[in-house]
Amino acid sequence: NAGVTQTPKFRVLKTGQSMTLLCAQDMNHEYMYWYRQDPGMGLRLIHYSVGEGTTAKGEVPDGYNVSRLKKQNFLLGLESAAPSQTSVYFCASSRRDTIYEQYFGPGTRLTVT
Amino acid sequence: GENVEQHPSTLSVQEGDSAVIKCTYSDSASNYFPWYKQELGKRPQLIIDIRSNVGEKKDQRIAVTLNKTAKHFSLHITETQPEDSAVYFCAASIPGNQFYFGTGTSLTVIP
């Protein structure tokens, strides 16, 4: 089992460029999440999904979009990157029946210049 | 929404001493409180959790206590070891499984 994987691991974007971060899990988890981690601010929830084809906004959704077309994948998109989106992005997943335990991916370090 | 505050932001202890990290939350509907450990450059990993119907939980050198009335919960690490050095995050989860994380405590265990 690979668990939760994220692609890419690092990326540098220029302001205004777009990109998509891919999260994949092979644990058959129903729930998936995207967080951003900034120094001194902990982990903040961007968007989450409780099942294939469904998404919901978290604490800091502005400037991001997501899609969950397949159960195992959760995509995070930045349509027009801004320097304020420089962060480390973590994906996580959890099962519905052990709803509370979240497993995290290795993270993607994104820099927007 | 929920607001989770975590203290202290940094903590240094001598090897073998105990470490205590405290968190408070604001939403009385929160019913699940996990603690995550994050080593430098790595992903957060769950180390212990507690549900709102329990006051205390222990797992070897780690324990968590919850006071629902006061809306605070704490992580206790006894007999600290250098490998306990990491950033620790508390979180509170409201029904619907949205997690709200504290800002983290950087723990350094001095050999």
Side-chain angles (χ1 to χ4, degrees):
Chain A
N1 273 5
V4 181
T5 59
Q6 292 181 231
T7 310
K9 288 186 169 50
F10 303 93
R11 185 73 186 269
V12 178
L13 285 181
K14 293 193 170 149
T15 297
Q17 287 185 318
S18 63
M19 78 163 294
T20 300
L21 281 67
L22 169 64
C23 176
Q25 52 93 5
D26 61 1
M27 297 177 283
N28 202 33
H29 286 173
E30 290 85 4
Y31 289 67
M32 296 186 76
Y33 313 81
W34 275 108
Y35 293 91
R36 59 178 290 172
Q37 184 175 38
D38 302 294
M41 300 195 72
L43 290 149
R44 292 181 292 168
L45 182 65
I46 304 171
H47 286 279
Y48 64 103
S49 168
V50 299
E52 186 177 321
T54 70
T55 63
K57 293 180 181 179
E59 199 180 346
V60 288
D62 294 342
Y64 305 94
N65 57 75
V66 288
S67 64
R68 182 106 181 263
L69 299 180
K70 292 182 180 180
K71 186 177 183 179
Q72 63 268 35
N73 295 339
F74 195 28
L75 305 179
L76 178 71
L78 286 73
E79 289 184 350
S80 179
S84 60
Q85 293 178 304
T86 293
S87 188
V88 179
Y89 292 85
F90 284 98
C91 175
S93 70
S94 67
R95 287 178 58 168
R96 187 183 293 129
D97 57 348
T98 52
I99 192 171
Y100 300 115
E101 190 168 349
Q102 295 190 5
Y103 295 83
F104 283 83
T108 295
R109 184 173 293 276
L110 175 67
T111 302
V112 183
T113 62
Chain B
E2 173 66 282
N3 181 45
V4 177
E5 295 191 356
Q6 183 172 346
H7 299 281
S9 57
T10 60
L11 180 60
S12 290
V13 299
Q14 291 291 136
E15 183 177 356
D17 287 349
S18 295
V20 180
I21 302 170
K22 298 182 179 181
C23 289
T24 61
Y25 62 99
S26 61
D27 193 336
S28 56
S30 291
N31 58 3
Y32 174 70
F33 307 91
W35 285 89
Y36 284 82
K37 176 183 180 182
Q38 186 178 28
E39 295 174 353
L40 189 62
K42 298 196 174 175
R43 70 190 79 189
Q45 293 196 300
L46 179 72
I47 55 171
I48 196 167
D49 56 17
I50 192 167
R51 286 168 172 73
S52 59
N53 59 346
V54 175
E56 183 174 357
K57 184 177 178 180
K58 264 190 176 180
D59 182 4
Q60 298 183 332
R61 296 186 297 109
I62 295 173
V64 58
T65 58
L66 170 64
N67 183 326
K68 282 178 58 181
T69 304
K71 295 201 192 88
H72 67 71
F73 56 112
S74 300
L75 177 71
H76 304 253
I77 306 174
T78 59
E79 300 171 19
T80 53
Q81 301 167 3
E83 51 265 37
D84 294 329
S85 296
V87 178
Y88 292 80
F89 291 96
C90 64
S93 175
I94 60 174
N97 207 34
Q98 282 197 56
F99 278 35
Y100 293 85
F101 283 83
T103 50
T105 296
S106 178
L107 173 64
T108 302
V109 179
I110 303 164

